[in-house]
Amino acid sequence: SSASSTFLPKHGKSEEIDTQDGNSIIPISLNEGVSSKLLQKMVHDALVWCSLHGLVVGDKNNQRSGKVPGVGIVHAPIALLPMSFAQRHFLQACELTPIFNELVDRVSLDGNFLQDSLSRTKKVDAFTSRLLDIHSKMLETNKKEEIRLGLHRSDYMLDAQSKDLLQIELNTISCSFPGLSCLVSEFHRYLLNHYGGDLKLDSTRVPENMASTRYAEALAKAWKEYNNARAVIMIVVQTEERNMYDQHWLCSILKEKYGVMTIQKTLAEIATEGRLQPDGTLLINDQVVAVIYFRAGYTPNDYPSESEWSARLLMEQSTAIKCPSISYHLAGTKKIQQELAKPNVLERFLDDKDDVTKLRKCFAGLWSLDDSKIMKDVMERPELFVLKPQREGGGNNIYGDDVKQMLLKLQKEGSEELAAYILMQRIFPTESPAFLVQDGILHEEHVISELGIYGAYLRNKDKVIVNEQCGYLTRTKVSSSNEGGVVAGFAVLDSVYLT
Ligand code: ADP
Ligand code: MG
Ligand code: MG
């Protein structure tokens, strides 16, 4: 029904709006049919709803907002209406989740594959090198993780030209927004229930999103496997975190639904308060830790001194369940993503041929920079590629003509330096108009979106206890912006409207 999606960004439904040569045209004028009075009413409702339901972040205009809960709160940046997305692509992404979960687990067990694939990167990237050192120490002592917990998020964009769902990356550490993303879906359903008649939209097309409860459930089940009723779940946090409410949602569900207590510690605090008992039990001020859930530790900024690294090592040496373990963390690096995309590599880790085919179908072009053929292509058309270092958290990639400049600079410094980066095909999703609400203000923009599917995996020795899809995150950003960080201010939280 074409009328039903008049107000929705048309991503994923691009069949209707593409011209013959594949160039998409903007389907509707931003204001067509929606009166500014109705818009203002919806924005007002949105702001009230977010405030009443905890769809909030720390306000960057308030200095204490990243440290003290309840101080300097502002609604999370959101899209007023959900993004239109083809149901088949959404289901495809959901279906891939347990396969990626299994893949991470298999890859994590192959210590030599991780070390070998990252050996050249190690020489030129100090951060990756430190992670690999911890990993080597675990290999040397033959440390085995019998209970393994992964809370991942695989991110995708829909390539406008090929109509393929392509993976951007697989995050295995500190996946953000399991707490807030489900609230965005709930908000969109609420808004469509109230205004759907006027907009000709159906709230039941926004799929249910259980990210926070599913993540909390996986953490609680891991805690149960550890089997110590007095133990806690420790969340490793940054010293300042404006996205703290996203984390507090999980803590609150863990306490209220599962009776599991959580503590929050920075790496520096763990360095001073943490110690191991002879049997490897991790104590933080005499409190036993069953599960360590990292919401920090993924960027070099989190390790300003040696104490933070000693804390990371201490945790890795302990018997606590680490989410992620150092192997899971490394399995989620961009270099490993690129290695897994090479011919015949997936086959080493997955037995099922159909699974291999499904994963490969969502892989974009990925190359290492020792590939001379691709280097020539990049120099000619740098705008078709993204240059990525081994970093997480947004804001690190290189685009456009900067790709060429950077490669020329690296080549001058010696070919070794190239090993710090991977090269990826740039994905161009369909642009569409949208209403974004940021800091209480409505913006009309042309946007593109990225869909993330949360996954949870828990096993104890041979027994797989959890391997499932846990809900979704949509991030929508102004199409002229390269990066997509929500907290960084590049993007807003969104959900999907299935078509
Ligand atoms: P990070 O781990 O820092 O989040 P990503 O690989 O997700 O790194 O890149 C950050 C952002 O850059 C993504 O959210 C996306 O908006 C954009 N991006 C990354 N890779 C591509 C690509 N191949 N094509 C287009 N945009 C991309
Ligand atoms: Mg990432
Ligand atoms: Mg990302």
Side-chain angles (χ1 to χ4, degrees):
S1 53
S2 58
S4 72
S5 48
T6 310
F7 300 103
L8 288 164
K10 297 257 185 177
H11 315 185
K13 226 198 160 191
S14 38
E15 285 84 356
E16 295 168 8
I17 54 170
D18 276 5
T19 52
Q20 279 296 81
D21 60 6
N23 290 330
S24 55
I25 50 170
I26 301 302
I28 50 164
S29 115
L30 285 173
N31 281 317
E32 186 188 318
V34 58
S35 73
S36 72
K37 206 168 153 203
L38 177 61
L39 256 182
Q40 287 315 317
K41 233 164 102 183
M42 288 195 293
V43 172
H44 179 265
D45 274 15
L47 298 175
V48 172
W49 195 96
C50 292
S51 312
L52 295 183
H53 293 80
L55 180 43
V56 293
V57 294
D59 182 356
K60 62 176 176 301
N61 298 314
N62 184 313
Q63 284 212 327
R64 293 159 70 218
S65 68
K67 287 194 168 144
V68 191
V71 171
I73 296 176
V74 63
H75 74 92
I78 51 166
L80 189 62
L81 294 166
M83 183 234 336
S84 179
F85 204 84
Q87 175 155 326
R88 75 180 170 94
H89 284 128
F90 183 75
L91 294 177
Q92 184 192 347
C94 293
E95 201 192 341
L96 292 172
T97 311
I99 313 174
F100 274 119
N101 289 344
E102 190 69 45
L103 178 67
V104 170
D105 193 64
R106 293 289 184 88
V107 169
S108 80
L109 297 176
D110 193 338
N112 292 333
F113 173 75
L114 290 172
Q115 286 286 337
D116 294 348
S117 303
L118 289 159
S119 62
R120 290 182 54 242
T121 307
K122 181 178 172 135
K123 289 189 193 139
V124 287
D125 181 343
F127 179 63
T128 307
S129 172
R130 293 303 299 258
L131 297 176
L132 282 166
D133 286 343
I134 294 175
H135 182 250
S136 298
K137 284 204 174 95
M138 297 308 111
L139 288 179
E140 278 159 26
T141 56
N142 203 19
K143 174 106 168 40
K144 295 269 183 289
E145 302 297 328
E146 285 181 334
I147 308 174
R148 303 194 289 276
L149 173 65
L151 295 175
H152 312 312
R153 198 190 67 227
S154 182
D155 293 332
Y156 306 89
M157 277 182 178
L158 202 58
D159 185 58
Q161 204 159 16
S162 64
K163 312 268 188 297
D164 285 333
L165 182 84
L166 296 179
Q167 187 183 48
I168 295 285
E169 62 156 348
L170 177 64
N171 293 289
T172 58
I173 182 166
S174 293
C175 300
S176 56
F177 298 116
L180 299 191
S181 70
C182 42
L183 291 171
V184 182
S185 312
E186 203 180 316
F187 159 68
H188 280 154
R189 250 181 276 119
Y190 155 85
L191 201 78
L192 296 194
N193 277 334
H194 285 263
Y195 298 99
D198 293 327
L199 303 170
K200 301 200 179 57
L201 295 171
D202 171 8
S203 69
T204 63
R205 290 185 180 225
V206 178
E208 188 175 59
N209 194 351
M210 306 283 281
S212 59
T213 40
R214 292 260 175 85
Y215 257 30
E217 187 184 351
L219 283 160
K221 283 185 172 165
W223 176 86
K224 197 157 168 257
E225 288 301 309
Y226 191 83
N227 198 22
N228 178 337
R230 285 195 310 271
V232 297
I233 293 180
M234 174 166 75
I235 307 184
V236 185
V237 297
Q238 296 183 328
T239 44
E240 279 195 55
E241 176 64 90
R242 285 195 289 113
N243 194 25
M244 67 165 88
Y245 303 99
D246 183 49
Q247 301 172 8
H248 288 312
W249 270 110
L250 294 182
C251 299
S252 149
I253 299 168
L254 279 166
K255 181 151 75 186
E256 286 167 22
K257 193 163 174 201
Y258 299 98
V260 178
M261 298 305 289
T262 52
I263 56 171
Q264 281 138 52
K265 295 286 173 188
T266 63
L267 285 167
E269 286 167 341
I270 295 163
T272 54
E273 297 168 23
R275 65 192 164 90
L276 296 188
Q277 287 187 322
D279 68 353
T281 302
L282 175 63
L283 297 178
I284 300 286
N285 294 331
D286 297 326
Q287 180 115 59
V288 176
V289 176
V291 182
I292 306 166
Y293 172 48
F294 285 85
R295 290 295 294 261
Y298 56 86
T299 150
N301 303 338
D302 290 341
Y303 303 84
S305 75
E306 281 305 308
S307 355
E308 287 80 11
W309 283 114
S310 69
R312 182 75 193 259
L313 179 63
L314 184 84
M315 289 186 279
E316 201 61 35
Q317 288 166 327
S318 78
T319 56
I321 301 162
K322 295 150 279 281
C323 180
S325 65
I326 194 74
S327 321
Y328 268 41
H329 184 174
L330 291 171
T333 55
K334 294 178 174 67
K335 182 65 193 169
I336 295 298
Q337 178 187 11
Q338 178 254 307
E339 286 290 321
L340 289 169
K342 282 185 180 170
N344 301 318
V345 179
L346 280 182
E347 284 82 352
R348 285 173 55 185
F349 299 104
L350 296 174
D351 307 322
D352 187 317
K353 279 209 172 62
D354 288 345
D355 286 352
V356 170
T357 309
K358 282 177 194 159
L359 293 195
R360 191 157 286 140
K361 200 165 175 298
C362 80
F363 286 175
L366 287 155
W367 303 271
S368 80
L369 296 174
D370 50 15
D371 185 332
S372 58
K373 185 183 163 293
I374 204 68
M375 287 295 264
K376 188 169 165 285
D377 293 351
V378 182
M379 289 306 185
E380 278 165 19
R381 302 288 306 276
E383 70 280 5
L384 300 182
F385 298 85
V386 183
L387 190 59
K388 297 189 177 187
Q390 307 307 305
R391 292 290 177 274
E392 296 298 328
N396 302 299
N397 298 338
I398 297 167
Y399 301 85
D401 202 50
D402 293 347
V403 171
K404 192 171 158 183
Q405 299 313 321
M406 188 62 167
L407 289 177
L408 290 170
K409 179 172 163 274
L410 290 171
Q411 278 172 337
K412 240 183 241 159
E413 286 166 15
S415 58
E416 297 275 282
E417 301 300 318
L418 295 170
Y421 295 83
I422 63 151
L423 201 59
M424 188 172 180
Q425 161 200 351
R426 179 151 188 184
I427 302 161
F428 294 97
T430 306
E431 278 182 33
S432 48
F435 298 114
L436 313 182
V437 189
Q438 234 162 350
D439 207 13
I441 297 164
L442 178 71
H443 303 269
E444 303 178 0
E445 301 282 0
H446 291 282
V447 300
I448 56 175
S449 295
E450 183 172 349
L451 174 72
I453 305 286
Y454 294 102
Y457 187 85
L458 173 67
R459 73 184 289 157
N460 191 346
K461 297 185 187 130
D462 288 340
K463 196 170 78 189
V464 177
I465 299 158
V466 178
N467 183 11
E468 62 179 15
Q469 172 271 115
C470 295
Y472 63 96
L473 167 74
T474 310
R475 281 168 302 170
T476 290
K477 64 175 182 177
V478 176
S479 50
S480 55
S481 154
N482 288 323
E483 290 289 335
V486 172
V487 180
F490 298 117
V492 301
L493 300 176
D494 201 346
S495 67
V496 291
Y497 186 92
L498 298 183
T499 59

